[in-house]
Each structure stands twice: as structure tokens, then as C-alpha cells.
Amino acid sequence: MRALLVVNPAATTTSARTRDVLIHALASEMKLEAVTTEYRGHARDLGRQAADSGNVDLVVALGGDGTVNEVVNGLLHAGPEPERLPGLAVVPGGSTNVFARALGLPNDPVEATGALLDALRERRERTVGLGLAAGTPGTEDESVRSRWFTFNAGLGFDAGVVGRVEQHRERGRKSTHALYLRQAVRQLLGESDRRHGSITLERPGQDPVTDLVLSIVCNTAPWTYLGNRPVYASPKASFDTGLDVLGLSRLSTAAVARYGTQLLTSSPERGPHGKHVHSFHDLDQFTLHSKVPLPLQMDGDHLGLRTSVTFTGVRRALRVIV
């Protein structure tokens, strides 16, 4: 098997020595080329080259969710074609590793490498659905190019939290769950109107859902992790269905306490629920509009401000070694 290993040298939970050990373990089982990323977007470029080359069977992403997202966007730059394109394997090296853990992989990179080698020997793989987001035609965002995401996206509050965390990381702070929680509180306190949001959800053939203050799009469950605790915003979300959406129409102090507690105690059977919760399951396409520009995130990567984004759930988009 001919494989490309994309290595993020800044991966949070792996050292240079650990990465060398993992590379040698993988190279013992396949014809491996290892490339270390040197700039933002480099993993995407490497994925694109692998997709176009015709001589790569597998791309292995060694890094966090951001590295995986870039590789996926490179592999699928011309669209999904799972039978022709290289398969994807993931060795988790980030602080959260939602995609890898949602696939059932160990969160430890050494254990995950062992599981990956076992899967290759036993020819275990699955084809997963992905989310695709693009600027909505006929709006000021229509020229924004489409982008794939593997596990979640968000317009508004959660994307604002991601943006705040990225600012701290650029100043040298380490990404931790405590940092995310602190920035979530600060983002909440900075919300100008927590009772009447600016987001409208539109679905083909359905009445619009208006005045949302928060919108979370899930391609799988859980939505994220706090340490080892999974958090379920949309418990029914799955790699085998379309996209799920969780919207909240109020972020008052009482609502935050209620729905925050529900998120922290969520399970595969039950997520947030109540008067101000709007949940939708297995959507093929929908649009989120905002009266004012709001931050957008995909797979934990802050992508700037948007006023209108159209989301599509693409089934059977990518082969993954599991």
C-alpha cells in the first residue's frame, strides 16, 4: 500500500520523539512518505496532490481536527468519489480529536496507530457522510467558496468562542478545555441581545425558524468532548445520515443555566430540550441567514464573519480506515 502521512509538528499531544515512533511503526507496514506541514493550508494542499496523483492509496493525518479538516478538503477538492480517491486514516494528536473519537478510535496516538494497523491488516473501512457549507447564492456571501466539515459547524455563539480561543492560541496559550470554558463565559457576557437572535433557519418546503441566538450543525454525535466526557448537542446525528441542527431562541441567564446543564449531562439518548430549543434531524440541505454578520466555525476552525450559509449533508462522501 502506498500511503502519505501528513504530520502536524504543532500537534498538541505528541512530541517529536512520539511522532518518530509512530512514523516508523506505519512505515513497517506500508510504502510511506511522511511530510511535515509548514504553513496553514499545507495539509489541504497535500491532500489535493494525493487526490490528483493517482498513485496514493491512503492518506494518514497525524494531528488534531484542524489537520484532518484540511486533508479532507484537499482530498475532496473536486468532489466526493470514495471508490477512486485515497482512503483516510487518522492518528489523533490534538487536544480534543472529535472526528477520530467519533469513529471509535482511541484518543491516545500510540494506541490509535495500533488500531489503524489492525484495521489495515483486516481491511476494515467504512464510508462516511460529510457536511458541505457554502455562501448562499443571491447573497453577499455567494462568492465564498464551499468547504467540507467532518463533525460540526456553527454560526454565531459557538463560533465566537472558537474565535476567542484562536486569538489566545496565537499569543502562545495552550488549547485546553478550561480555556474554552472561560471564553464561552466571556462570549456569553458580550452577546448584545440574548433574548432575540438574528439567525433564521430555512428549509426547502418548510416554514422558516426565526430569531435564533445560537445554531449548531452536527454531522455526528457527540458534538464535542470536555475531557473524556462526550457532549451531545444532537444525539441522533450520524455519519450515515444527513445533518442535524440545534438552535436556541434564548440565551438569558436562566436559559443558559438550564441548557448548559442539559448539555453537560447529555447522553446518546437525550440532548437539550425545552421551550426555546429547536432540533432538526437528518437534513439534506438548509440555510442559515443572519441579520448581522456572525462568526462561522467548522470543525473548530474560525472562518470569519458570514451573513448567509447554505449547508448540505453529503452521504457516503469519504472512505475511512477504522
Side-chain angles (χ1 to χ4, degrees):
M1 175 176 285
R2 298 159 300 180
L4 170 68
L5 175 65
V6 179
V7 182
N8 180 0
T12 308
T13 58
T14 58
S15 64
R17 178 174 292 179
T18 300
R19 290 191 290 272
D20 285 343
V21 171
L22 299 181
I23 290 170
H24 281 95
L26 292 169
S28 68
E29 299 286 337
M30 63 190 78
K31 185 177 180 181
L32 186 72
E33 177 187 5
V35 180
T36 299
T37 58
E38 298 176 355
Y39 54 86
R40 185 166 184 166
H42 193 183
R44 181 193 63 235
D45 295 342
L46 292 169
R48 179 171 186 152
Q49 292 167 16
D52 292 342
S53 70
N55 59 11
V56 175
D57 302 306
L58 177 69
V59 178
V60 184
L62 171 51
D65 288 312
T67 303
V68 174
N69 180 276
E70 285 194 13
V71 169
V72 168
N73 274 276
L75 285 172
L76 273 61
H77 74 95
E81 207 174 338
E83 300 307 318
R84 181 189 67 83
L85 292 171
L88 173 72
V90 179
V91 177
S95 59
T96 310
N97 308 304
V98 178
F99 181 65
R101 294 163 85 175
L103 287 170
L105 292 171
N107 197 36
D108 178 81
V110 176
E111 291 183 15
T113 300
L116 168 59
L117 293 174
D118 288 342
L120 289 170
R121 295 185 192 109
E122 297 168 15
R123 300 181 180 273
R124 295 199 313 264
E125 63 178 44
R126 63 179 293 192
T127 305
V128 299
L130 298 174
L132 182 66
T136 305
T139 71
E140 61 186 56
D141 288 328
E142 66 178 345
S143 62
V144 177
R145 70 180 184 179
S146 60
R147 177 161 173 158
W148 297 92
F149 60 96
T150 64
F151 60 90
N152 77 38
L155 181 69
F157 179 81
D158 73 312
V161 176
V162 169
R164 287 175 176 269
V165 170
E166 285 193 3
Q167 289 177 353
H168 283 272
R169 293 186 65 183
E170 289 171 358
R171 298 174 195 149
R173 295 286 299 278
K174 186 177 180 180
S175 177
T176 64
H177 299 295
L179 177 61
Y180 272 94
L181 289 173
R182 286 196 299 272
Q183 298 314 310
V185 172
R186 291 174 182 173
Q187 179 71 19
L188 179 66
L189 296 175
E191 289 288 325
S192 58
D193 193 341
R194 294 187 285 168
R195 294 181 178 271
H196 301 287
S198 64
I199 302 171
T200 296
L201 169 65
E202 291 186 353
R203 296 166 292 155
Q206 303 290 329
D207 292 335
V209 181
T210 61
D211 300 329
L212 298 175
V213 294
L214 177 151
S215 57
I216 294 172
V217 182
C218 292
N219 185 50
T220 188
W223 165 49
T224 190
Y225 291 83
L226 286 176
N228 290 322
R229 177 188 290 274
V231 180
Y232 296 87
S234 297
K236 294 182 180 179
S238 167
F239 288 127
D240 299 319
T241 63
L243 300 174
D244 284 26
V245 183
L246 171 70
L248 294 183
S249 56
R250 180 164 296 187
L251 278 180
S252 62
T253 302
V256 169
R258 181 183 308 114
Y259 301 128
T261 299
Q262 289 179 1
L263 274 172
L264 292 175
T265 59
S266 59
S267 71
E269 289 73 39
R270 194 168 198 188
H273 52 277
K275 179 180 178 181
H276 304 293
V277 176
H278 302 269
S279 297
F280 305 93
H281 174 57
D282 195 11
L283 302 182
D284 289 327
Q285 190 172 79
F286 60 93
T287 297
L288 295 175
H289 298 288
S290 175
K291 300 172 186 176
V292 297
L294 292 176
L296 172 70
Q297 70 86 13
M298 293 186 208
D299 288 348
D301 189 9
H302 187 271
L303 300 177
L305 302 179
R306 302 285 190 272
T307 56
S308 187
V309 185
T310 295
F311 293 88
T312 304
V314 181
R315 302 166 195 259
R316 298 186 57 80
L318 183 69
R319 286 188 305 115
V320 182
I321 308 301
V322 290

